[in-house]
DNA sequence: CTGCGTGCAAATGCTTTGCAAAGAC
DNA sequence: GTCTTTGCAAAGCATTTGCACGCAG
């Protein structure tokens, strides 16, 4: 059930896209709401959810599922990379490149397809 | 708010623990319910949830959050390892050892604490 | 007997959906 | 004016919780 592309340009939609572009890091729907409301204050969370799923369908956003956290989304199309989450403030940042071996050792009969890698620590903005 | 240890041995509790021990892989609450019901059929999902969180508090279980999936839990105390999820049947398996470099490269000012690593592919039990 | 643990059903929190009204074109 | 998009409120789902009863010790 692919959505037909008949997109109308709305204040809300633009504000949501702008939030992702300006923050340039994975945002949860709540975070996206807060940032987008700075540009378009009449904006409901339902609209954020609806637009995010459209943008994911259009491959403009990709979901980033940090274990144990609400889903976040980031602008799609970037090179293969992983994510860092600050254990103090919870913010997720993108890491450049990939330090992971291409083919981890798997049990007999298992076929490798891909991987996820998450690093946790303390970000530069948080006090030691 | 630590739970005082005043554990009574109940049929349900034993069945839940047995499910994790016998399957020896991460189970979601639903999966645990199904396996535990084979031993104690009068078992409600609420009891599974309650017992799982007690077992996590007691450090007998550890939560395993595969990105985009319901939480699973596995028996705690094993050596550092990671997980494999079959893209076909969804089952999660444990992998031995850790193929990940100890200290991934982080941006200036970021402090490394730990990491998560997930491998996806097709398991031996699934048709190619 | 005492009081913890369970089952049920209601409550919660996050996400999705139906519908009428607002807005894009 | 037409048809999409929005906001609100209700519906869904998974998980948690309150309460009365059953069962372990």
């Amino acid at each position: 059930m692919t959505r037909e592309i008949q997109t109308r340009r709305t204040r809300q939609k633009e504000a949501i896209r702008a939030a992702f572009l300006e923050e340039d890091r994975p945002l949860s729907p709540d975070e996206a709401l807060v940032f987008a409301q700075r540009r378009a204050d009449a904006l409901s969370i339902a609209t954020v959810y609806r637009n995010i799923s459209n943008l994911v369908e259009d491959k403009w956003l990709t979901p980033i599922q940090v274990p144990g956290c609400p889903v976040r989304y980031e602008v799609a199309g970037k090179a293969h990379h992983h994510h860092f989450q600050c254990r103090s403030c919870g913010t997720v940042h993108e890491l450049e490149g990939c330090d992971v071996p291409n083919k981890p050792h798997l049990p007999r009969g298992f076929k490798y397809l891909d991987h996820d890698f998450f690093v946790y620590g303390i970000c530069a903005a948080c006090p030691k």
Side-chain angles (χ1 to χ4, degrees), chain A residues 57-114:
Chain A
E57 246 183 58
D58 296 345
K59 302 213 190 308
W60 194 88
L61 285 180
T62 322
I64 303 298
Q65 257 287 356
V66 180
C69 295
V71 206
R72 290 155 207 265
Y73 300 88
E74 71 179 13
V75 176
K78 301 182 180 182
H80 176 74
H81 64 281
H82 297 297
H83 298 89
F84 173 96
Q85 184 179 40
C86 178
R87 290 268 195 228
S88 172
C89 65
T91 308
V92 175
H93 299 266
E94 300 180 13
L95 294 179
E96 282 178 23
C98 174
D99 292 323
V100 174
N102 288 344
K103 285 208 159 200
H105 180 260
L106 297 181
R108 185 182 290 274
F110 281 51
K111 190 181 151 202
Y112 172 83
L113 285 175
D114 58 297

Side-chain angles (χ1 to χ4, degrees), chain A residues 7-19 21 36 39-40 51:
Chain A
T7 305
R8 286 183 185 181
R9 180 164 300 246
T10 66
R11 209 167 24 91
Q12 294 89 335
K13 205 174 291 187
E14 294 304 308
I16 291 166
R17 279 207 281 238
L21 289 172
R39 308 189 132 242
N51 275 287

